[in-house]
Amino acid sequence: MAQVGIFVGTVYGNALLVAEEAEPLLIDQGHQVKIFEDPTLDDWQRYADHVALIITSTTGQGDLPDSIAPLFHAIKDKLGHQPTLQYGVIALGDSSYEDFCGGGKKFDALLQEHSAKRVGEVLLVDATENPEPEEITSPWIEDWAKQIG
């Protein structure tokens, strides 16, 4: 099965909670999983031929949290074409803000520019409708886990 790196961008801990819920679901389907709370470019590059799952919240005006913003900028500035990378994105946000789930959408757009292969659709989780995000994310992860490899 696949080696999956879960790259977390969180402020208040919800994205990390989703990552910790995702880990056993992925392991149960035979995948090897590692969570990165403060991911670096070196961490990212270890998964260049594998699978990355980005789970991030959004801050301010659609920005990425401080825990994952440096990784985003390093990928943007130092890496190019990434056609061997498979990835998925879970974006946490609040629809009362103008740039709903902007952090996850920006990460997805960057990886699309780099020709990475997105598996499944980006999951947008609205905190106003789903205060317990794992109710939405866990079924998505179980389905996503069957598509990677």
Side-chain angles (χ1 to χ4, degrees), residues 10-113:
T10 194
V11 177
Y12 300 112
N14 280 343
L16 181 58
L17 173 68
V18 170
E20 290 170 344
E21 295 276 336
E23 184 179 28
L25 297 175
L26 291 163
I27 290 170
D28 285 349
Q29 292 197 33
H31 301 295
Q32 295 176 13
V33 183
K34 183 165 170 87
I35 296 174
F36 298 94
E37 290 182 55
D38 290 297
T40 66
L41 188 58
D42 286 342
D43 297 331
W44 182 264
Q45 289 181 297
R46 282 190 220 119
Y47 289 86
D49 296 321
H50 303 289
V51 182
L53 175 59
I54 297 93
I55 302 176
T56 187
S57 57
T58 301
T59 65
Q61 302 301 311
D63 297 321
L64 288 157
D66 289 342
S67 63
I68 202 167
L71 173 63
F72 175 87
H73 293 295
I75 292 169
K76 185 176 181 182
D77 297 341
K78 297 178 180 168
L79 296 182
H81 211 56
Q82 299 180 68
T84 58
L85 175 72
Q86 294 183 66
Y87 76 95
V89 177
I90 296 176
L92 306 178
D94 182 328
S95 62
S96 65
Y97 287 89
E98 188 173 316
D99 200 351
F100 172 60
C101 288
K105 290 175 182 177
K106 284 179 184 174
F107 226 115
D108 177 55
L110 175 65
L111 295 176
Q112 287 289 296
E113 286 173 25

Side-chain angles (χ1 to χ4, degrees), residues 6 13-26 29 53-57 89-93 101 121-127 129-145:
I6 301 178
N14 280 343
L16 181 58
L17 173 68
V18 170
E20 290 170 344
E21 295 276 336
E23 184 179 28
L25 297 175
L26 291 163
Q29 292 197 33
L53 175 59
I54 297 93
I55 302 176
T56 187
S57 57
V89 177
I90 296 176
L92 306 178
C101 288
E121 294 300 315
V122 175
L123 178 62
L124 306 178
V125 181
D126 186 353
E129 293 181 14
N130 301 100
E132 304 290 330
E134 64 277 3
E135 293 175 2
I136 300 296
T137 60
S138 290
W140 183 93
I141 290 162
E142 287 176 345
D143 183 57
W144 184 79

